[in-house]
């Protein structure tokens, strides 16, 4: 079946603009995770959804970051007033029965100029 | 909170030989999962192998096997008969249960397989 998909694959934006990143998990996977990968910080957890609720949003770095999940499926990560330090690859993963394996999407590379 | 440490930033191995990647972790939990993920230059994270902490038997997947030492909090990955396609970044990761099911990653190790 189809894997996790993310869009866009690449996004270049100007500092101060808002961006939305989208994640389509594997059908039927109830758990969805967002991570960020950057050269300086490695792989960092951002937020975890179980269904439409987020029991763990401890990794969101500031209140400029928010995420939602609707219908227990698609998730959107929104970054407001982007800063250069937001430049990174944003990875989404889904899982059928946490904490079993998570399946990752190809990521969105965000560049803030 | 848990931490995962991969102290070797990079390694190199000759094709067809065996290499071991090290990982240590720290946690106060008794039940958890450990994983090795591979990330080739394409950026796609791929699960290599997983180990459930309550299982004493070491996990194996074809050419990949782990040495899980729960008391020592050590979780190394052995790659046998290395292939050129094994060239990638390898990340060790920890996951707890329930609301703590997020992955905590080590910094990764760059593995190069030489022809």
């Amino acid at each position: 079946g189809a894997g996790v998909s993310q869009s866009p694959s690449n996004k270049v934006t100007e500092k101060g603009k808002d961006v939305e990143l989208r994640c389509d998990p594997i059908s039927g996977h109830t758990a969805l995770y967002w991570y960020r990968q950057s050269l300086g910080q490695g792989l960092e957890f951002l937020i975890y959804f179980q269904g439409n609720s987020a029991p763990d949003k401890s990794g969101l770095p500031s209140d400029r970051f928010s995420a939602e999940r609707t219908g227990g499926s698609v998730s959107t990560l929104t970054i407001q007033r982007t800063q250069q330090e937001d430049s990174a690859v944003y990875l989404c993963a889904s899982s059928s029965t946490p904490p079993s394996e998570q399946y990752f999407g190809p990521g969105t590379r965000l560049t803030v100029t | 909170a848990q931490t995962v440490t991969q102290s070797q930033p990079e390694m190199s191995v000759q094709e067809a030989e065996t290499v071991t990647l090290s990982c240590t972790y720290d946690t106060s939990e008794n039940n958890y999962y450990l994983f090795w993920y591979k990330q080739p230059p394409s950026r796609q994270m791929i699960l290599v192998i997983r180990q459930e902490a309550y299982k004493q038997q070491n996990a194996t997947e074809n050419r990949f096997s782990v040495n899980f030492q729960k008391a020592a909090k050590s979780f190394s990955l052995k790659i046998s008969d290395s292939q050129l396609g094994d060239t990638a970044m390898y990340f060790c990761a920890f996951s707890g249960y329930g609301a703590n099911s997020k992955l905590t990653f080590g910094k990764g190790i760059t593995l190069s397989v030489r022809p």
Side-chain angles (χ1 to χ4, degrees):
Chain A
V4 178
S5 61
Q6 293 185 246
S7 61
S9 55
N10 287 283
K11 175 74 176 177
V12 180
T13 190
E14 291 181 354
K15 178 181 170 181
K17 295 283 179 70
D18 298 352
V19 295
E20 282 190 355
L21 312 180
R22 177 187 168 106
C23 172
D24 263 289
I26 292 172
S27 178
H29 280 194
T30 58
L32 185 149
Y33 306 80
W34 283 98
Y35 298 90
R36 178 168 75 172
Q37 185 174 25
S38 58
L39 278 175
Q41 301 299 321
L43 274 155
E44 305 172 280
F45 163 77
L46 297 177
I47 188 169
Y48 156 49
F49 286 95
Q50 181 60 43
N52 291 336
S53 63
D56 188 354
K57 52 178 82 170
S58 62
L60 294 177
S62 75
D63 58 8
R64 296 186 296 104
F65 288 72
S66 63
E68 64 175 14
R69 189 178 185 196
T70 55
S73 182
V74 171
S75 177
T76 303
L77 177 69
T78 301
I79 309 172
Q80 296 179 308
R81 305 181 302 282
T82 51
Q83 304 294 312
Q84 286 189 328
E85 62 262 28
D86 300 334
S87 295
V89 174
Y90 289 81
L91 294 168
C92 175
S94 71
S95 174
S96 58
T97 51
S100 62
E101 55 263 38
Q102 296 180 22
Y103 296 88
F104 283 79
T108 294
R109 180 178 296 280
L110 175 66
T111 304
V112 182
T113 61
Chain B
Q2 41 278 334
T3 59
V4 178
T5 302
Q6 293 178 256
S7 55
Q8 308 153 303
E10 51 185 84
M11 290 189 74
S12 179
V13 64
Q14 194 75 33
E15 191 177 10
E17 295 193 343
T18 296
V19 64
T20 298
L21 311 183
S22 302
C23 173
T24 58
Y25 62 95
D26 193 20
T27 183
S28 58
E29 298 182 35
N30 193 45
N31 292 320
Y32 49 87
Y33 277 75
L34 294 164
F35 305 88
W36 279 96
Y37 278 89
K38 168 185 176 181
Q39 188 178 42
S42 66
R43 199 170 77 196
Q44 181 71 53
M45 292 283 280
I46 302 164
L47 177 68
V48 175
I49 199 165
R50 72 172 192 176
Q51 175 79 41
E52 294 147 75
Y54 65 86
K55 289 188 176 179
Q56 292 188 333
Q57 187 173 4
N58 288 326
T60 62
E61 285 289 340
N62 301 313
R63 296 183 296 108
F64 300 88
S65 62
V66 299
N67 183 2
F68 172 49
Q69 302 289 328
K70 190 172 183 180
K73 295 190 172 71
S74 170
F75 183 62
S76 61
L77 174 70
K78 185 171 83 171
I79 306 175
S80 304
D81 185 26
S82 297
Q83 301 176 0
L84 296 178
D86 295 335
T87 293
M89 280 277 289
Y90 286 81
F91 293 93
C92 179
F94 172 103
S95 171
Y97 280 74
N100 195 28
S101 63
K102 67 178 181 288
L103 289 169
T104 300
F105 290 92
K107 290 190 179 302
I109 177 170
T110 301
L111 177 67
S112 301
V113 180
R114 306 186 304 274

